[in-house]
Amino acid sequence: RAPDGTFYVWGNVSQLPAPLNDGMGFFRAALEKKVIVVPGEFFDVNPGKRRASRGSRFRQYVRFSFGPSMETMELALKRLEEIVTPLLPG
């Protein structure tokens, strides 16, 4: 769906194969390709650590920014494709 007004978009990575199926795993793999994404759990506000017994509700998300130039975006998407494509079936 098209974003409603910011230059960030959330991506649900839960359907990708491990270790890319959580935000931190996807972040680490992207970083190896010199692409920065932000793990969703970094945005999970948990005042007073009240939810210590369960993980972040945003664990399977990453945040992408499409603020950089189109050339930079195309390069980043190509690098992310290199990470994901070999792990997909068929």
Side-chain angles (χ1 to χ4, degrees):
R1 132 172 160 51
D4 291 327
T6 69
F7 53 92
Y8 299 108
V9 66
W10 286 89
N12 184 327
V13 296
S14 65
Q15 298 300 307
L16 294 174
L20 301 179
N21 62 342
D22 79 18
M24 288 302 293
F26 196 93
F27 164 76
R28 287 184 186 104
L31 192 57
E32 288 181 20
K33 292 283 191 174
K34 298 186 183 340
V35 176
I36 301 267
V37 300
V38 182
E41 64 192 272
F42 288 7
F43 298 95
D44 193 2
V45 178
N46 186 9
K49 306 289 183 201
R50 292 182 208 145
R51 286 184 274 117
S53 63
R54 66 173 211 245
S56 171
R57 59 190 161 176
F58 301 123
R59 184 172 177 203
Q60 295 178 315
Y61 289 86
V62 292
R63 189 177 85 162
F64 301 94
S65 169
F66 52 93
S69 70
M70 183 59 78
E71 179 183 6
T72 299
M73 293 298 301
E74 288 171 349
L75 178 59
L77 288 172
K78 180 179 182 246
R79 290 175 179 177
L80 292 175
E81 184 178 28
E82 290 170 1
I83 295 167
V84 174
T85 301
L87 299 175
L88 296 177

